[in-house]
Amino acid sequence: MQDFGAAFGEAFALIAGLDAGLMEIIGLSMRVTFSAVLIACVIGLPLGAVLAVGRFPGRHILVVLVSALMGLPPVVVGLAVYLMLSAAGPLGVLQLLYTPTAMIIAQAILVTPIIASLTRQVIDDLHGEYDELLRSMGANRVGMIATLLWDARYSLLTAALAGLGRALAEVGAVMIVGGNINHVTRVMTTAIALETSKGALALALGLGIILVGLSILVNAGLMGLRKSAERLAYA
Amino acid sequence: MFKRSIPVLLSSVVIGSAALGSAAFNTASAEEKFIVVQSTTSTQNSGLYDALLPRFTAKSGIEVRVVAVGTGQAIKNAQNCDGDVLLVHAKSAEEKFVAAGHGVSRSDVMYNDFIIVGPASDPAGVAGSNDVKTALANIQRARAPFASRGDDSGTHKKELALWESAGIDLSGASGGWYRETGSGMGATLNVAVGMGAYVMTDRATWIAFGNKAGYGIAVEGDDDMFNQYGVIQVNPKICANVKAELSKTFINWVLSKEGQTAIADFKFNGQQLFFPNAGDKPNS
Amino acid sequence: MPEPISRASHLSVIEAGVKPPAVALHDVVLERRGKALVDGLTLSLSTSGTTVLMGPNGAGKSLTLRLMAGLIAPDEGRVRWNGVETTPSQSVALVFQKPVLLRRSVRANLKHALKTYGVSRIERPRRLEKLLEMGELENLADRPARVLSGGEQQRVALVRALAARPKLLLLDEPTASLDPQATAAIESLIRMAAQNGAKIVLVTHDRGQAQRLADEIVFLNHGQVAEVTPAQRFFDAPQSQEGRDYLDGHLLL
């Protein structure tokens, strides 16, 4: 198991040397992940809130469905997006296959159910508390959802972080739709997969350590932000 | 009102992210000249492309984007028009691809050979053999674990053909001593090393492979283990998005004296991994 | 059906125009788990003055209030505001026993209310300052609303209700858990609203509070109206046996 020691060595050497290739890959990972989570939030937050607040036929089925989709296998999503974006597919004319955009689409599809489902949970609880008040104020559904989302914003950050974690760690979907093309669509996870298949296990593990480190940094940063903002806003 | 807005919201995923993505990333690519090569993995994992492609790009100004997957998947992707050039190593499948009209024409590019690697303990006693049929028969007789790609790649097809020519029926062995990983070459090598199995690989991947863990070459040098790589232009008449001029330029360069020399010049730890043979026998 | 008491002299409508909606419940039944919590309740409220709903626990006071707010619909019977069955929601405001404040500052809570009540963007800052002043909340304006004391929170909740300029102000035991000083502050705000022409309906168990604020008492028992009596007369000589027993401190079963 001398690989672990070597892995930390590799990780340290890459970081200390500000390896240009590594920086490029990290940059792309971050851009793809954050874009995907942003899109997933734009869709998932209101969708989750509607599922919590709305009363329409089929709501329960939809709730179960969205919850089940949290377990979407990345490879299946990757394949589905590939078939859509392939030149032979219905959206082939957009020429998005093997671009970061394709990776963002695939990850947004993976992350949206997570954010929608966790949002539904959070908003459901808060709705129980606010429902009578907001209805007595004559708030309409849109106003009600906006109020609930805003007041739950710190809890919803956790939902966004869960989505971020999923997107950052995911390899199956981005590998298929991105193609792991050097300098174009290579991200941390696909680089790790490539180095593993080359048998460069220490380097692969080193990249993995860096990825975990990045994930810790992102989480710590956002949670710190939440803590200080929360202190200012309410108890 | 909510019911109706959900599909609208969902469909905005694609549109929204497409807009965002193209704004963020694709600004420059409108002027950038690039082609997509659907390729087998050995050429990428061995580092050949890292040595070869910068030379071509410097000369032509054309960026080459490589999608390295198994030969089977590479051919399927190319059939879907998701690529301009196909560079793989399964000659009969390649010829079928061209015959079906998906590709313009096929040319030999280079070759190396397949080898069977195994653990130092050599449970089937095949080390040092240069007769693949006998070696496979010995492995079967010893019920020594053998890891197969099992992924319809060029290497997998070749391996199946060798078992067949050795007259060995694998049905019944699968899941026993014969283990199909369904993965790429590198992943399969990792699995084989992990469980002490013999495995067939192309020589280039093996030489560049970093996780050898006491493994060595057991079988090599049989003429049946010849490994030919070919290059095909995806047919622009069928796939309108194929960049006919750029891909032709690339193929011509790879087959040219300069390209062939570059392939021969590529060495890993002083060993040549690929042997150019473009001129040897003009093709279909 | 008892006749509502009118005390027109008490009216001082500052916002000219709209009068409080006349709320009428007709033969209303509300069931929960097979039990009729409101059981054939008929009540017609005057459009002015302060009506206090009294009665033992489980009499249906809070539910009656929520029916008047249009928050719940009756299982049987009708609730009408000015003769129609649509809640005039913007002119009705409800204050709960336990104030539900948003997870925001006091100022943001009031801003949210003004926005929800449809006050124009231009008018909001002026109205906001007035509300803060009215509730003596200027010094608390930027504090998170949910860290304030119970009395302060209820003041915010009441002032927030007043942001609607309600014509009908419904209060569900607003001072139940407050100390005398906080109670006095709430009562003075209620009085102010009444003087501004709002119709007040207040649920309370506090006899002193009822005597201080009520123009008439509606006494409920078992989901029905036991009596409707002018306040002074109720406390001197309740008209119903249930009312007498309640004031004497007997257990009503």
Side-chain angles (χ1 to χ4, degrees), chain B residues 52-63:
Chain B
L52 198 62
L53 299 181
R55 290 210 208 178
F56 170 68
T57 302
K59 186 181 161 99
S60 65
I62 300 168
E63 184 197 345

Side-chain angles (χ1 to χ4, degrees), chain B residues 225-246:
Chain B
M225 295 174 87
F226 184 74
N227 181 24
Q228 177 66 50
Y229 292 82
V231 67
I232 303 170
Q233 182 190 29
V234 180
N235 193 346
K237 291 202 183 94
I238 290 181
C239 301
N241 59 311
V242 165
K243 292 161 185 161
E245 281 304 311
L246 301 186

Side-chain angles (χ1 to χ4, degrees), chain A residues 192-217:
Chain A
I192 291 169
L194 175 63
E195 294 309 329
T196 304
S197 75
K198 285 181 179 175
L201 302 191
L203 179 55
L205 203 55
L207 289 171
I209 290 166
I210 293 171
L211 183 59
V212 171
L214 281 174
S215 183
I216 290 170
L217 274 181

Side-chain angles (χ1 to χ4, degrees), chain A residues 31 82 86-87 98 196-198, chain B residues 17 25 38 77 82 186 190 210:
Chain A
R31 276 151 64 189
Y82 167 76
S86 163
Y98 305 136
T196 304
S197 75
K198 285 181 179 175
Chain B
S17 52
F25 304 108
Q38 290 285 350
N77 287 348
D82 296 322
N190 281 326

Side-chain angles (χ1 to χ4, degrees), chain A residues 126 129-139 143 146-148 150-151 153 231-235, chain C residues 66 70-72 89-90 92-94 96 100-105 112-113 116-117 144 146-147 160:
Chain A
L126 197 61
E129 190 186 335
Y130 281 11
D131 180 46
E132 275 206 327
L133 170 73
L134 294 176
R135 282 200 296 126
S136 80
M137 292 171 83
T147 302
L148 288 167
W150 181 253
D151 273 41
R153 61 197 179 279
R231 238 195 322 270
L232 290 172
Y234 75 110
Chain C
R66 279 167 174 71
L71 274 183
I72 46 180
S89 64
Q90 297 306 36
V92 181
L94 179 58
F96 303 92
V100 181
L101 298 179
L102 305 186
R103 288 159 169 76
R104 311 177 186 196
S105 68
H112 173 267
T116 306
Y117 290 130
R146 295 166 78 98
V147 301
R160 178 178 61 189

Side-chain angles (χ1 to χ4, degrees), chain A residues 3 28 31-32 35 38-39 42-43 46-47 50-51 54 56-57 62 82-83 85-88 91 94-101 104-105 108-109 112 141-142 145 176 178-182 184 186 194 196-201, chain B residues 1-3 5-6 9-10 12-14 16-22 24-26 36 38 44-47 50 63-68 73 76-83 185-187 189-190 205 208-212 241 243:
Chain A
D3 274 338
L28 186 61
R31 276 151 64 189
V32 167
S35 305
L38 190 73
I39 291 163
V42 167
I43 297 159
L47 177 63
V50 166
L51 288 177
F56 48 86
L62 213 56
Y82 167 76
L83 290 173
L85 298 183
S86 163
L91 298 176
L94 297 176
Q95 302 248 15
L96 290 175
L97 193 66
Y98 305 136
T99 66
T101 306
I104 293 170
I105 292 171
I109 291 171
T112 299
R141 279 287 159 87
V142 173
I145 285 172
I176 295 175
N180 189 24
I181 298 168
N182 205 4
V184 181
R186 184 160 301 164
L194 175 63
T196 304
S197 75
K198 285 181 179 175
L201 302 191
Chain B
M1 99 191 235
F2 293 113
K3 254 189 299 179
S5 59
I6 290 165
L9 278 172
L10 288 180
S12 69
V13 185
V14 170
S17 52
L20 192 132
S22 39
F25 304 108
N26 298 350
V36 171
Q38 290 285 350
Q44 165 153 300
N45 285 7
S46 62
D50 295 335
E63 184 197 345
V64 182
R65 298 184 176 178
V66 177
V67 178
Q73 195 188 335
K76 283 221 177 63
N77 287 348
Q79 276 171 357
N80 287 336
C81 304
D82 296 322
M185 193 68 254
L189 280 169
N190 281 326
T205 300
F209 188 67
N211 184 30
K212 293 196 175 80
N241 59 311
K243 292 161 185 161

